[in-house]
Amino acid sequence: MAAKAKCDAVLMIGFGGPTRADEVRPFLDNVLRGRPIPRERYEEVAHHYDLLGGRSPYNDLTMRQAAALRTELAKKKAGVPVAVGMRNWQPYVADTLRDLADGGARRVLGFIMAAHRSEASFERYQATVNDARVALGEGAPEVVYPEPWHDHPLFTTAVASRAREAYSRLDFPDRSRARLIFTAHSIPLAMAQAGPYVEQLTQSARIVAADLGIDTWQFAYQSRSGSPRDAWLEPDIKETLRSLDAKIAVIVPLGFLCDHVEVLYDLDIEAAQVARAAGIRMERAPTVGDHPLFIEMMASIVAAHSR
């Protein structure tokens, strides 16, 4: 049997975010792609960015992950070019893929920056890559994707490590009284039923909770953006906090890989306000970000595809 072709570059594929105030509305227009949205909702989301300094940290944080990955690959003597392309803002996937092709890349590992797969978190990114390849024509590199890694021990251990950071801010007696709540981005119910998203989230949460030695935990969703007439995954984190039968909550944003606006606003501002009104102490765990174990996981996957 012929040996599997090796990848000669990595393309980290992310959502993207505005890097300064005058980019916020053009960025939101990119995300919406012409879909109608009430103007008041549009301005409300724009205001979220205003509250956080008129920009998103997403691009900076993803670039930090990429830099850490390059360092880890060099340690493993598996150095291949690592580039970043965004679906909704610069540097766009199409431009980055063109740069890789110009640099001689012929088979690229597309590492979509989402651990749990749905149409919104995975397939749309693949479609963006396919469009970029079509635009490049015959010189377009082949792009392949790793197997699911939501249950990879280095990923789940990194999440558990971040959760422990939140628990460490509690007095020791309060730790056993805290309710562990995992969160992820809500998606339309029909989309969830068509893919493995909920199953993968549940698998990740179960592994992390076991690592923490916690038997009782909950799952909630956040950052819903669709029509109120459509069914989306529930319960929402705000409703979960309002009805919580505990006075301490540790929130672990399992479905997010860096502390971008949907974490910083939807949890640290919006959900935190609900928690305070309900008399609940809420501690939010950091996302995995550039945690050394998460970067080690990425590097091991890249190395397996490039040797």
Side-chain angles (χ1 to χ4, degrees):
M1 190 164 109
K4 192 173 183 180
K6 297 176 182 178
C7 292
D8 50 18
V10 180
L11 173 59
M12 290 172 54
I13 307 163
F15 189 83
T19 61
R20 57 179 193 260
D22 63 351
E23 294 177 351
V24 170
R25 282 169 174 76
F27 164 75
L28 293 178
D29 293 340
N30 270 358
V31 173
L32 291 171
R33 287 172 169 78
R35 295 193 302 275
I37 183 173
R39 192 67 196 178
E40 58 271 18
R41 175 59 181 165
Y42 182 98
E43 293 301 330
E44 178 187 347
V45 173
H47 183 55
H48 295 176
Y49 289 90
D50 294 339
L51 293 173
L52 297 169
R55 66 190 305 276
S56 168
Y58 186 98
N59 287 22
D60 290 343
L61 295 172
T62 305
M63 295 300 179
R64 189 182 302 173
Q65 291 169 321
L69 176 58
R70 292 185 193 103
T71 299
E72 187 65 23
L73 287 171
K75 289 180 186 175
K76 293 180 179 292
K77 300 191 181 340
V80 293
V82 175
V84 175
M86 303 298 187
R87 183 167 183 261
N88 297 296
W89 202 244
Q90 301 167 352
Y92 289 109
V93 165
D95 296 331
T96 304
L97 193 63
R98 183 184 303 108
D99 290 344
L100 288 174
D102 290 345
R106 292 295 170 259
R107 193 168 197 263
V108 173
L109 179 65
F111 202 106
I112 296 171
M113 298 302 290
H116 308 95
R117 299 186 178 186
S118 69
E119 177 195 332
S121 65
F122 199 79
E123 292 165 26
R124 289 178 188 171
Y125 291 81
Q126 289 181 312
T128 297
V129 171
N130 288 340
D131 290 345
R133 293 186 69 246
V134 169
L136 282 174
E138 291 184 3
E142 178 187 5
V143 179
V144 298
Y145 302 91
E147 293 298 309
W149 44 267
H150 64 282
D151 56 353
H152 194 291
L154 291 174
F155 170 65
T156 56
T157 304
V159 175
S161 174
R162 294 302 199 199
R164 287 189 176 92
E165 293 180 37
Y167 277 100
S168 72
R169 296 193 290 270
L170 299 173
D171 293 334
F172 190 78
D174 288 339
R175 296 176 192 178
S176 61
R177 294 194 284 267
R179 182 62 53 82
L180 175 61
I181 306 173
F182 296 98
T183 72
H185 206 300
S186 185
I187 61 174
L189 195 57
M191 183 188 297
Q193 291 171 341
Y197 187 66
V198 173
E199 178 185 2
Q200 291 181 350
L201 284 166
T202 303
Q203 289 172 344
S204 296
R206 188 178 295 120
I207 295 168
V208 172
D211 190 325
L212 296 170
I214 295 174
D215 296 326
T216 302
W217 50 274
Q218 295 174 235
F219 212 105
Y221 295 94
Q222 62 172 92
S223 310
R224 172 184 171 141
S225 59
S227 166
R229 295 186 299 273
D230 299 331
W232 281 52
L233 286 173
E234 295 178 339
D236 181 82
I237 181 60
K238 298 186 292 296
E239 295 308 315
T240 296
L241 289 168
R242 289 187 183 108
S243 61
L244 196 67
D245 59 349
K247 288 302 178 183
I248 307 170
V250 171
I251 310 297
V252 178
L254 176 67
F256 303 89
L257 298 183
C258 66
D259 285 12
H260 54 74
V261 170
E262 287 176 322
V263 174
L264 299 175
Y265 180 83
D266 296 355
L267 291 181
D268 293 356
I269 295 178
E270 196 172 51
Q273 288 174 345
V274 171
R276 284 194 297 273
I280 294 168
R281 176 175 176 181
M282 174 182 138
E283 293 291 345
R284 196 266 293 175
T287 53
V288 288
D290 58 355
H291 191 289
L293 293 179
F294 178 56
I295 300 302
E296 184 182 344
M297 183 212 76
M298 291 183 68
S300 68
I301 291 173
V302 171
H305 283 80
S306 58
R307 287 174 174 161

